[in-house]
Amino acid sequence: MRAAVIGLFLWWGGGAAAQSILLMGDSILVWNSYLDASVVDRLEQRFGDGVENNAAAGAMLTNPNALGSIFGYDIRTQFDGKLFDWVVLNGGANDILAECGCGLCDAVLDDLSDVDGARGAMPQLVNEIRDTGAQVVLAGYYMPPSGGTAEFGCLDDLAALNARYAALAARDVDVYFLDTAALIPQDDLTLFDGDLLHPSEAGSRRLADAIATIISEN
């Protein structure tokens, strides 16, 4: 059964089993990189040289821009079929922001994933990844607090996207949905950066801890 991870406390010392891990997705995974404190950085500290990052700030799951795809802004192109033990993946929030502005988003949500998690861009990508034998951590989205830059109606759409991704994970024992909304409470501003959208250093640490727990325990 897939796990919505709540456990947060992980010792970041040595002794982790060797794992090859690819990270794909958007800015949530790379935020705080300039401080060497992003989710990617912390997983590199935990798992070492086996961690490879292709996530990019601003990346969309269904980016229709051919030039953007070349430079990694289409999350689907961030996966090149190489063999990894694990793929850590998120995506879809930028599609909602860009394609429907957090209003009348049913068609955009359906393009990302249907309600059963069986069809759409994310199920297709996860299936492609799983065909290589990799296990997948599929991260959902937490809810920005009041006053944040994504306050204009996105919360219902993000919640709907989370439910679809959880349904996707429930279809495969080796796909784990990471319920980031449980990890980053909307009212705990210490976990948010100044834009009230991206994670603070503490928020990135919490997300990375939870991802590392899934990988270490499975």
Side-chain angles (χ1 to χ4, degrees):
M1 192 66 184
R2 281 61 46 200
V5 171
I6 303 299
L8 301 177
F9 303 103
L10 193 81
W11 181 56
W12 286 90
Q19 299 277 1
S20 58
I21 303 165
L22 173 66
L23 288 100
M24 302 168 47
D26 59 31
S27 58
I28 300 301
L29 299 179
V30 297
W31 203 255
N32 298 309
S33 291
Y34 75 102
L35 298 168
D36 295 326
S38 68
V39 171
V40 172
D41 292 314
R42 295 193 179 280
L43 290 175
E44 288 175 343
Q45 293 160 18
R46 171 66 176 174
F47 294 103
D49 293 339
V51 177
E52 181 174 322
N53 176 54
N54 285 341
M60 296 168 60
L61 185 60
T62 58
N63 194 328
N65 184 303
L67 184 61
S69 296
I70 292 172
F71 290 100
Y73 292 100
D74 185 325
I75 293 170
R76 295 168 297 184
T77 67
Q78 294 176 1
F79 183 68
D80 60 7
K82 289 172 59 179
L83 300 181
F84 290 89
D85 296 317
W86 288 87
V87 173
V88 178
L89 171 66
N90 80 333
N94 288 327
D95 302 71
I96 291 171
L97 286 167
E99 295 180 16
C100 58
C102 303
L104 300 176
C105 285
D106 287 350
V108 174
L109 286 167
D110 287 342
D111 285 343
L112 297 171
S113 175
D114 68 359
V115 294
D116 297 321
R119 291 177 297 278
M122 185 61 84
Q124 182 177 348
L125 178 57
V126 169
N127 287 339
E128 180 183 348
I129 294 167
R130 287 288 296 121
D131 283 345
T132 69
Q135 297 186 83
V136 175
V137 179
L138 176 57
Y141 287 96
Y142 50 78
M143 302 296 116
S146 177
T149 54
E151 191 184 0
F152 33 88
C154 280
L155 300 187
D156 289 345
D157 297 318
L158 293 178
L161 189 63
N162 286 343
R164 295 174 187 220
Y165 286 177
L168 191 169
R171 303 176 68 89
D172 187 332
V173 295
D174 287 322
V175 179
Y176 300 83
F177 175 69
L178 181 65
D179 184 3
T180 64
L183 296 170
I184 308 289
Q186 190 178 20
D187 59 354
D188 188 348
L189 298 186
T190 67
L191 299 175
F192 291 86
D193 202 355
D195 64 0
L196 299 182
L197 177 62
H198 293 95
S200 65
E201 288 185 68
S204 291
R205 181 184 303 112
R206 183 170 288 202
L207 294 172
D209 281 0
I211 293 166
T213 299
I214 293 175
I215 292 171
S216 298
E217 294 183 352
N218 295 280

